């Protein structure tokens, strides 16, 4: 027998036994496990060193954007209110689409985007550090159910509230707008259309939530975007009815704000101005819904609407526009159909 051949045949068997043993160790103890994904992505444009401004903004400010094409003047307004510094964008999906666009406007030290995709990431020390050191915070569009499912009740929510407490401007577009009021349509079962909402205010897609975030000036408010292009006035009226019917807010304190696409509402210390090309709508009920029940069409009468389309302002505290800067009309839901007091019956 050739002992060399025998030794050569033994080495493969020995290697196989060692590989099997290593696999058992890996499965049992995780010795060779891959590093756990961070659950977030981070993008930076500009200076990596944290900017330190000499003082905080003197008053709170909120920016609501109605979705669609972004409004350049809205971002410039936030930068001006903050006095520069570090602009932070948060989102669950997407990447750094805002970075170069906003950075090129000037007036900021940096812009950072955090794509925060898990609840663990919403409590990550690095993520929280970037939020806490921001001078401006903007919530991108997407799906607001992601924001509620992944961010509500986390350290991220606490950090955002602390940021607002320091008067740092906060804003959001589309889904980002939807989570800035005291009450939110959260789309946990997908979107809802006006006809379906009016026909049954408690249908399975009418998923509402409250007090995830409440941006300055938005107490008692539920807000909606894409109002004109997606015909959302009916569902906004129904959201408002639900907040009253569910006893989340009194008739006297319930409020709704709707924005057209390519339109922003800039709120400084409770005084709002319109930016962009569309209109802003301010809804205030005068009486409680007559019928707001599961399986029945909504009856909700005499909801006062102020449409801000020009260069005037709207005072959220008094819920009025000085100098008659808005067009005022009444909306009612009668057996699930909207009726307007405007000439021609227009609801917008």
């Amino acid at each position: 027998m050739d002992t060399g051949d025998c030794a050569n045949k033994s080495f493969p068997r020995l290697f196989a036994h060692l590989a099997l043993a290593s696999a058992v160790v890996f499965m049992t103890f995780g010795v060779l496990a891959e590093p756990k994904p961070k659950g977030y992505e981070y993008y930076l444009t500009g200076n990596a060193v944290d900017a330190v401004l000499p003082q905080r903004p003197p008053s709170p400010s909120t920016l609501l954007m109605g979705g669609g094409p972004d409004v350049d003047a809205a971002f410039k307004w936030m930068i001006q209110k903050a006095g520069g510094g570090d602009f932070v964008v948060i989102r669950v999906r997407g990447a750094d689409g805002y970075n170069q666009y906003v950075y090129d406007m000037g007036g900021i030290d940096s812009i950072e985007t955090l794509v925060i995709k898990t609840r663990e990431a919403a409590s990550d020390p690095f993520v929280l550090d970037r939020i806490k050191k921001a001078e401006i915070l903007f919530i991108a569009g997407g799906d607001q159910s992601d924001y509620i499912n992944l961010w509500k009740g986390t350290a991220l929510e606490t950090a955002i509230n602390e940021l607002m407490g320091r008067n740092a401007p906060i804003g959001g577009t589309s889904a980002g707008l939807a989570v800035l009021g005291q009450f939110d349509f959260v789309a946990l079962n997908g979107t809802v259309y006006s006809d379906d909402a009016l026909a049954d205010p408690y249908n399975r897609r009418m998923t509402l939530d409250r007090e995830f975030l409440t941006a300055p000036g938005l107490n008692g408010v539920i807000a909606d975007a894409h109002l004109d292009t997606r015909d959302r006035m009916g569902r906004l009226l129904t959201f408002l009815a639900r907040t009253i019917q569910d006893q989340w807010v009194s008739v006297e304190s319930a409020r709704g704000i709707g924005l057209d696409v390519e339109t922003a509402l800039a709120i400084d210390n409770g005084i709002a101005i319109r930016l962009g090309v569309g209109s802003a709508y301010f809804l205030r009920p005068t009486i409680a819904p007559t019928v707001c029940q599961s399986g029945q069409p909504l009856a909700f009468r005499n909801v006062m609407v102020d449409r801000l389309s020009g260069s005037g302002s709207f005072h959220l505290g008094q819920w009025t526009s000085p100098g008659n800067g808005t067009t005022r009309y009444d909306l009612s839901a009668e057996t699930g159909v909207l009726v307007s007091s405007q000439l021609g019956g227009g609801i917008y």
Side-chain angles (χ1 to χ4, degrees):
M1 177 181 290
D2 188 327
T3 55
D5 287 344
C6 181
N8 289 339
K9 292 176 182 177
S10 298
F11 278 118
R13 285 197 294 268
L14 178 60
F15 178 80
H17 286 306
L18 289 173
L20 178 61
S22 298
V24 171
V25 169
F26 169 74
M27 289 186 291
T28 305
F29 299 105
V31 173
L32 301 178
E34 291 289 329
K36 187 177 180 181
K38 292 183 295 186
Y40 69 87
E41 297 168 12
Y42 175 70
Y43 304 90
L44 169 69
T45 301
N47 188 2
V49 178
D50 181 48
V52 180
L53 301 186
Q55 60 185 15
R56 297 176 182 175
S59 58
S61 54
T62 301
L63 190 285
L64 301 178
M65 201 180 299
D70 290 307
V71 180
D72 293 1
F75 292 103
K76 293 176 182 178
W77 179 87
M78 294 184 79
I79 293 167
Q80 184 267 325
K81 287 298 174 186
D86 299 315
F87 193 122
V88 174
V89 177
I90 58 174
R91 60 199 312 165
V92 168
R93 305 175 188 180
D96 62 344
Y98 278 110
N99 280 32
Q100 199 63 49
Y101 161 63
V102 175
Y103 188 75
D104 287 346
M105 293 179 183
I108 55 175
D109 191 57
S110 73
I111 178 166
E112 304 162 79
T113 292
L114 287 158
V115 186
I116 307 166
K117 299 181 286 187
T118 66
R119 289 187 68 82
E120 292 76 15
S123 294
D124 185 277
F126 177 80
V127 170
L128 300 179
D129 180 69
R130 302 324 304 154
I131 299 295
K132 291 176 181 179
K133 291 179 178 176
E135 276 70 48
I136 307 161
L137 184 71
F138 187 77
I139 306 175
D143 185 337
Q144 57 261 44
S145 66
D146 288 335
Y147 301 153
I148 297 297
N149 286 330
L150 300 177
W151 298 351
K152 186 176 181 181
T154 68
L156 174 64
E157 179 182 358
T158 301
I160 295 172
N161 282 321
E162 290 173 354
L163 200 64
M164 290 189 291
R166 301 199 301 270
N167 289 345
I170 183 169
T173 185
S174 192
L177 167 150
V179 296
L180 288 178
Q182 184 177 0
F183 311 117
D184 314 317
F185 169 62
V186 292
L188 295 178
N189 296 322
T191 196
V192 66
Y193 299 100
S194 285
D195 288 348
D196 296 328
L198 290 163
D200 181 359
Y202 286 88
N203 77 70
R204 64 179 297 274
R205 294 187 184 275
M206 283 286 292
T207 52
L208 304 184
D209 192 63
R210 54 180 166 172
E211 296 170 349
F212 164 46
L213 300 171
T214 302
L218 300 185
N219 286 312
V221 170
I222 188 161
D224 207 0
H226 302 276
L227 220 70
D228 53 347
T229 56
R230 300 184 186 178
D231 190 23
R232 286 181 168 175
M233 184 66 83
R235 79 175 201 175
L236 178 57
L237 195 81
T238 310
F239 296 158
L240 192 60
R242 278 282 307 273
T243 64
I244 298 167
Q245 185 69 27
D246 294 347
Q247 299 184 354
W248 287 1
V249 67
S250 67
V251 174
E252 296 75 18
S253 300
R255 301 287 186 266
I257 294 177
L259 290 179
D260 290 341
V261 297
E262 202 172 350
T263 307
L265 195 67
I267 306 167
D268 180 21
N269 207 23
I271 300 175
I273 60 171
R274 182 197 63 89
L275 304 170
V277 302
S279 296
Y281 305 84
F282 303 88
L283 280 63
R284 180 174 69 83
T286 58
I287 58 175
T290 305
V291 179
C292 185
Q293 298 178 19
S294 178
Q296 296 190 37
L298 178 68
F300 189 24
R301 300 183 178 93
N302 303 119
V303 176
M304 186 176 70
V305 180
D306 280 285
R307 183 181 68 237
L308 179 63
S309 302
S311 58
S313 63
F314 194 85
H315 292 203
L316 298 180
Q318 292 77 37
W319 208 256
T320 188
S321 178
N324 299 316
T326 61
T327 299
R328 177 170 290 182
Y329 57 99
D330 285 346
L331 279 182
S332 296
E334 300 281 2
T335 60
V337 178
L338 288 186
V339 178
S340 170
S341 67
Q342 289 197 100
L343 186 64
I347 63 174
Y348 294 98

